[in-house]
């Protein structure tokens, strides 16, 4: 790793701005697969907790209503396997996954259709099946579930660190504590650091999470990104075994008609505690508000969900941590080129469900910035879908 006191005189093939999971995977792909000279630049220390990529657990799954996400996961799984083999680390625990819906919810039919289209093995469960299979869950009639045996838990910190370590092993330069205060576009891009030095590159990928909005606006790209503070909650189980991997408790997603989503994982990070969170939180003006007073309403909503569907857990969390989501109005990410400077691309708005996609996102952003052909469909992630709300 390099510190910001180093004088940078060379011109990098590509600089990647932001070393969260998407930036780290992109930097890895560019060095490992494309033989590029790359600088991965992070404004904070290497393992900071101020973004969206830290912590011990994220869900990995094929289950999506959107067919293009299932196709992306078919590519992501082999890349995760490759990273595991290269790094020699255990990055994933396969637990199986359960997603539950009201029977008449359109997303249920869409998810079944997407899984069938891509020949992903799965099983349909009734409310009675869910209760019989998972004693820690209680479901009334009128609900149904889809079980995916391939779902599991990714060790988020280990995954991010593996991408970074492998990136450095293949010749990349990792610059930490290196805030960028100005991006100067051109055929040769110049990045001015906080202490006045310049980093020079021919191409640039911006994957700066909740900091992307300001960085992009300064070079003429205004996106409807918002930052949301999420309460990450862990709840004590009266019967730990019911919610354990040893008892085959799955990663679990609960979808309700209003669009809200709750999710849970088997006991993993903290002994005897089950991670149960809401996929929504409190919108904040900037990342600097990350540590402001928590909204009790968010935690109360999770507690109400637990009382009805996971009654074996305490009604108040034992541990509460904080994570930032960076989202778009349609909850899908943006991956696109600068409208003028085609050597600048950006990927942002992944928070909430982007971690599992990281290896294929790295592949897509690499192909985009190098101008290489791609089998991937970028259409759902283009900026022009926000034509009424974006300014290019």
């Amino acid at each position: 790793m390099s510190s910001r006191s180093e004088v940078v005189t060379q011109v990098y093939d590509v600089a990647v701005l932001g070393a969260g999971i998407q930036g780290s995977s992109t930097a890895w792909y560019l060095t490992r697969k494309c033989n590029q000279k790359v600088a991965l630049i992070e404004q904070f220390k290497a393992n900071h907790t101020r973004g969206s990529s830290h912590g011990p657990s994220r869900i990995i799954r094929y289950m999506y209503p959107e067919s293009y996400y299932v196709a992306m996961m078919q590519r992501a799984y082999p890349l995760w396997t490759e990273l595991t083999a290269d790094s020699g680390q255990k990055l994933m625990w396969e637990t199986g996954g359960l997603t539950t819906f009201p029977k008449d919810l359109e997303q249920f039919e869409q998810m079944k259709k997407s899984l069938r289209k891509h020949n992903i093995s799965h099983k349909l469960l009734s409310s009675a099946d869910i209760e019989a299979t998972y004693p820690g869950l209680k479901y009334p009639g009128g609900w149904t579930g889809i079980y995916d045996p391939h779902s599991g838990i990714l060790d988020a910190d280990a995954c991010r660190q593996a991408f970074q370590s492998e990136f450095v092993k293949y010749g990349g330069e990792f610059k930490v504590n290196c805030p960028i205060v100005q991006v100067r576009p051109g055929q040769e891009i110049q990045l001015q650091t906080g202490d006045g030095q310049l980093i020079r590159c021919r191409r640039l990928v911006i994957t700066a999470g909740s900091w992307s909005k300001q960085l992009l606006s300064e070079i003429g790209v205004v996106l409807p990104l918002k930052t949301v503070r999420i309460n990450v909650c862990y709840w004590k189980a009266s019967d730990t075994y019911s919610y354990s991997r040893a008892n085959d408790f799955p990663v679990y997603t609960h979808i309700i008609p209003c669009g809200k989503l709750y999710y849970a994982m088997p006991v993993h990070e903290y002994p005897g505690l089950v991670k149960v969170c809401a996929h929504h939180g409190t919108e904040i003006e900037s990342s600097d508000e990350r540590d402001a007073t928590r909204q009790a309403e968010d935690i109360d909503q999770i507690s109400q969900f637990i009382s009805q569907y996971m009654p074996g857990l305490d009604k108040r969390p034992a541990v509460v941590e904080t994570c930032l989501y960076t989202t778009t109005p349609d909850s899908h990410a943006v991956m696109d080129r600068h409208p003028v400077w085609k050597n600048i691309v950006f990927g942002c708005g992944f928070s909430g469900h982007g971690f599992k996609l990281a290896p294929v996102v790295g592949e897509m952003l690499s192909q985009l910035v190098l101008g290489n052909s791609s089998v991937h469909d970028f259409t759902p992630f283009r900026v022009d879908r926000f034509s009424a709300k974006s300014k290019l």
Side-chain angles (χ1 to χ4, degrees):
M1 297 180 188
S2 302
S3 71
R4 64 179 177 177
S5 62
E6 179 183 359
V7 177
V8 180
T9 58
Q10 66 177 300
V11 180
Y12 296 94
D13 295 326
V14 188
V16 179
L17 190 50
I21 193 61
Q22 310 301 350
S24 297
S25 66
T26 302
W28 169 79
Y29 194 93
L30 285 164
T31 55
R32 177 74 170 87
K33 305 287 190 179
C34 306
N35 198 32
Q36 297 291 297
K37 183 62 177 176
V38 180
L40 175 61
I41 304 169
E42 171 56 53
Q43 65 175 319
F44 301 119
K45 65 180 182 178
N47 296 312
H48 72 87
T49 59
R50 303 198 62 81
S52 306
S53 299
H54 62 279
S57 63
R58 296 293 188 279
I59 291 175
I60 183 169
R61 56 185 167 88
Y62 281 111
M63 291 188 287
Y64 272 102
E66 299 88 357
S67 176
Y68 54 85
Y69 281 130
V70 180
M72 289 172 69
M73 287 308 303
Q74 286 183 304
R75 176 59 177 152
Y77 268 95
L79 288 171
W80 281 120
T81 300
E82 181 178 339
L83 179 66
T84 298
D86 283 357
S87 67
Q89 299 182 53
K90 184 171 180 60
L91 303 178
M92 183 175 76
W93 288 261
E94 191 172 89
T95 64
L98 173 69
T99 300
T100 58
F101 320 74
K103 282 184 178 178
D104 58 354
L105 196 65
E106 183 180 1
Q107 286 172 288
F108 173 56
E109 296 299 327
Q110 291 172 339
M111 188 175 290
K112 287 193 299 182
K113 183 178 179 181
S114 293
L115 294 172
R116 289 168 180 166
K117 177 180 177 179
H118 294 281
N119 298 312
I120 304 300
S121 59
H122 62 284
K123 182 167 65 174
L124 304 183
L125 301 176
S126 67
S127 297
D129 293 333
I130 294 170
E131 289 195 354
T133 307
Y134 307 110
L137 300 179
K138 298 299 177 186
Y139 267 87
W143 283 79
T144 189
I146 300 178
Y147 175 78
D148 164 21
H150 309 287
S151 296
I153 299 171
L154 291 168
D155 185 326
D157 285 335
C159 290
R160 189 191 64 255
Q161 291 165 13
F163 275 129
Q164 293 167 356
S165 297
E166 292 299 300
F167 160 71
V168 171
K169 186 175 80 176
Y170 285 102
E173 294 190 27
F174 189 13
K175 300 179 181 297
V176 299
N177 298 311
C178 186
I180 299 300
V181 297
Q182 186 179 28
V183 176
R184 299 173 188 168
Q187 288 187 338
E188 179 187 286
I189 302 161
Q190 295 184 340
L191 308 175
Q192 183 174 329
T193 68
D195 58 7
Q197 298 180 38
L198 293 179
I199 299 173
R200 302 155 61 201
C201 57
R202 297 181 182 90
R203 297 178 178 87
L204 175 65
V205 182
I206 298 175
T207 52
S210 58
W211 291 269
S212 296
K213 184 174 184 178
Q214 180 177 342
L215 283 167
L216 289 168
S217 69
E218 292 171 356
I219 57 173
V221 179
V222 179
L223 296 177
L225 298 174
K226 64 179 182 179
T227 301
V228 179
R229 186 178 63 242
I230 301 294
N231 290 314
V232 181
C233 301
Y234 300 83
W235 312 72
K236 182 176 174 55
S238 56
D239 175 14
T240 300
Y241 183 71
S242 294
Y243 300 98
S244 68
R245 296 201 310 270
N247 194 39
D248 295 327
F249 190 79
V251 295
Y252 160 53
T253 305
H254 174 96
I255 300 174
I256 55 180
C258 70
K260 288 185 177 181
L261 180 154
Y262 297 90
Y263 68 91
M265 300 183 195
V267 174
H268 183 70
E269 290 108 305
Y270 297 105
L273 300 186
V274 181
K275 183 177 183 178
V276 186
C277 306
H279 190 60
H280 57 271
T282 304
E283 185 173 354
I284 58 178
E285 288 298 319
S286 75
S287 306
D288 295 333
E289 297 179 32
R290 172 187 178 275
D291 297 321
T293 303
R294 294 188 178 96
Q295 296 295 316
E297 180 183 356
D298 299 341
I299 297 176
D300 290 342
Q301 290 174 0
I302 305 171
S303 181
Q304 291 169 13
F305 161 75
I306 284 173
S307 295
Q308 185 169 1
Y309 297 98
M310 304 182 74
L313 303 182
D314 283 0
K315 303 307 179 284
R316 301 308 299 174
V319 176
V320 180
E321 299 170 346
T322 302
C323 183
L324 295 182
Y325 280 7
T326 306
T327 66
T328 64
D330 62 9
S331 297
H332 302 300
V334 177
M335 289 187 279
D336 212 339
R337 292 189 178 96
H338 192 282
V340 176
W341 302 104
K342 303 302 182 183
N343 58 346
I344 299 176
V345 308
F346 43 89
C348 49
F350 296 96
S351 294
H353 68 103
F355 199 100
K356 69 184 78 63
L357 297 163
V360 71
V361 167
E363 181 174 68
M364 293 172 73
L365 290 174
S366 297
Q367 292 167 343
L368 193 63
V369 77
L370 296 178
N372 294 344
S373 60
S374 178
V375 299
H376 301 295
D377 182 10
F378 284 85
T379 305
F381 309 109
R382 297 292 189 194
V383 174
D384 58 13
R385 74 186 195 270
F386 302 124
S387 57
K389 297 182 179 180
S390 65
K391 180 181 178 181
L392 295 180

